[in-house]
Amino acid sequence: MSKKRGNGEGSITKRKDGRWEARYTIHTSAGPKRRTLYGRTRQEVAGKLAHALSDRAQGLTFDAGSLKVSEYLDRWLPDIHGTVRQRTWERYESIVRVHIKPTLGRIKLKALTPTHVRGLYREKLEAGLSRRTVQYVHTTLHKALKDAVADGLVPRNVTEGIKPPRPKKKEITPLNPEQARAFLATAQGDRFEALYVLAVHCGLREGELLGLRWDDLDLETGTLHVRRTLSETRKGPVFELPKNGKGRSIKLTKSASEALRGHLERQLGEIDGSGDEYRDQGLVFPSQKGTPMNASNLTGRNFKPILKRAGLPGIRLHDLRHTCATLMLCEGVHVKLVQELLGHATISITLDTYSHLLPGMGGEAAGAMERIFS
């Protein structure tokens, strides 16, 4: 006893054991494949078939078969290489290899559940992994499974709705105005004086500073264009797009323009003195050979000694960017302008990063309400 449908629409048949079955076809990369559904009643199996055909119509047909999580991830990583920044890809690869595959790798992709994922996070936390690293694990697995859904391998992303551990907010230690002035005064005459002036005055990231080329600068109009960032990868230094995926233009302060003019004159002297050994790549802040400057060398051999001579705390080079932002906000510069200067993707990132460093903000808000209703 059966009811036939059109080609590809499936068929419902009553089995000899009394149960009902529905058969339909899905199309996979390996070609068309038949699938069978079972139910105790015709109505039950008809409902399952309707749901399956609806999924197929929406592109949700999947055929993970016996594909394991580790096998899928081994395919996924090469597929996304080149679609994300090199350092991002290297982080994904490391997270997959060290944290995800050892725990979830043997599970079939189609059998993966939210319980498995929560267990992974709990296991990593109990092993002493930081909350931030577990959040990276979540981000990586979420993206991989999102792509698996898009490819039709699984019907849903089991990480959806799972809240990863919330990491502690990174502590930032910007310099106050007196400390900033002391730092820049101590850096005067240093080979990287102009780099430090740009970091404090313009809030550029470390990689953006080291990725600057003279073609990005117009000292006549006092304009700087952020077009790339220098990243340290396993393959060596790589120039990539800025963090938000697009560049930005910055109006230079008078002090920054003067520092860059002095830096250019000093660099031209270095090139003349180096002769054929200098490998000019047009970089504003290269090594003494003209090659991309290593950020760790800059910090250890130059930045930290300046801090020590100035009697300042051992902050990170990135904290000069935070110094720029907090000094401007404390001076009343609108947060939207600060966001654009720093290149934050959204204004909420700027507010979330710096609002707690401005103790007067709450008082100003209360004062404004008092004035409105007085």
Side-chain angles (χ1 to χ4, degrees), residues 77-358:
L77 284 169
D79 286 346
I80 65 166
H81 196 258
T83 66
V84 295
R85 288 155 54 102
Q86 178 64 23
R87 287 185 65 180
T88 301
W89 185 88
E90 289 178 1
R91 175 173 289 174
Y92 287 156
E93 189 279 332
S94 177
I95 290 292
V96 165
R97 172 170 44 84
V98 177
H99 299 297
I100 299 178
K101 285 174 62 176
T103 302
L104 303 180
R106 296 182 180 180
I107 300 172
K108 288 185 178 180
L109 182 63
K110 66 179 182 181
L112 191 66
T113 67
T115 301
H116 290 129
V117 176
R118 293 191 187 95
L120 169 66
Y121 300 165
R122 183 175 61 253
E123 174 187 313
K124 294 301 174 182
L125 288 173
E126 291 175 351
L129 211 63
S130 71
R131 288 173 171 263
R132 184 165 298 278
T133 302
V134 175
Q135 188 181 57
Y136 288 148
V137 172
H138 173 80
T139 300
T140 303
L141 187 57
H142 177 81
K143 177 171 175 55
L145 294 178
K146 181 179 179 181
D147 290 345
V149 172
D151 291 344
L153 294 175
V154 288
R156 68 186 183 111
N157 186 340
V158 296
T159 64
E160 294 286 358
I162 297 179
K163 294 183 178 180
R166 181 176 294 179
K168 295 180 181 178
K169 184 176 291 187
K170 284 185 177 180
E171 184 176 350
I172 62 176
T173 52
L175 301 176
N176 62 37
E178 293 75 19
Q179 291 174 322
R181 283 192 288 268
F183 171 77
L184 292 178
T186 306
Q188 282 186 359
D190 186 86
R191 184 172 182 269
F192 291 103
E193 175 189 355
L195 181 146
Y196 300 131
V197 172
L198 283 180
V200 174
H201 283 230
C202 303
L204 270 67
R205 298 177 177 92
E206 181 181 275
E208 293 171 346
L209 289 164
L210 297 179
L212 272 180
R213 290 194 169 103
W214 286 108
D215 289 345
D216 303 324
L217 294 168
D218 187 337
L219 297 181
E220 294 300 319
T221 61
T223 307
L224 180 154
H225 301 283
V226 178
R227 295 188 173 110
R228 74 194 63 79
T229 185
L230 178 64
S231 300
E232 293 293 336
T233 72
R234 298 171 189 170
K235 299 178 180 179
V238 174
F239 293 105
E240 300 179 303
L241 290 175
K243 191 172 183 179
N244 63 358
K246 59 183 180 178
R248 64 189 187 278
S249 296
I250 295 174
K251 184 67 176 177
L252 295 171
T253 62
K254 182 179 178 181
S255 297
S257 294
E258 291 175 352
L260 284 165
R261 286 192 177 92
H263 180 74
L264 176 58
E265 184 177 346
R266 184 183 302 112
Q267 189 178 97
L268 290 174
E270 281 187 3
I271 294 174
D272 289 340
S274 299
D276 295 338
E277 294 182 2
Y278 195 87
R279 288 176 277 174
D280 190 7
Q281 299 184 25
L283 295 170
V284 178
F285 302 112
S287 69
Q288 291 183 332
K289 295 182 179 180
T291 55
M293 183 67 194
N294 181 275
S296 297
N297 290 341
L298 172 66
T299 299
R301 300 175 185 177
N302 191 271
F303 177 60
K304 292 293 185 181
I306 292 176
L307 290 173
K308 189 173 182 179
R309 292 200 303 272
L312 297 171
I315 63 173
R316 304 166 303 164
L317 180 58
H318 192 74
D319 286 319
L320 296 184
R321 172 175 162 87
H322 295 316
T323 297
C324 171
T326 53
L327 293 181
M328 286 192 297
L329 290 170
C330 287
E331 284 296 309
V333 177
H334 196 282
V335 66
K336 181 62 178 177
L337 298 178
V338 176
Q339 175 212 341
E340 292 174 353
L341 179 69
L342 298 180
H344 284 160
T346 64
I347 198 169
S348 62
I349 296 175
T350 312
L351 289 169
D352 184 58
T353 304
Y354 300 111
S355 61
H356 69 287
L357 296 174
L358 306 175

Side-chain angles (χ1 to χ4, degrees), residues 25-40:
T25 302
I26 64 170
H27 298 280
T28 73
S29 58
K33 290 189 176 182
R34 297 284 290 172
R35 287 288 178 266
T36 304
L37 302 169
Y38 300 97
R40 293 183 179 179

Side-chain angles (χ1 to χ4, degrees), residues 3-18:
K3 181 179 179 181
K4 296 288 184 180
R5 302 185 176 203
N7 187 31
E9 293 182 356
S11 62
I12 299 177
T13 306
K14 189 172 184 180
R15 294 163 52 90
K16 292 181 179 180
D17 61 6

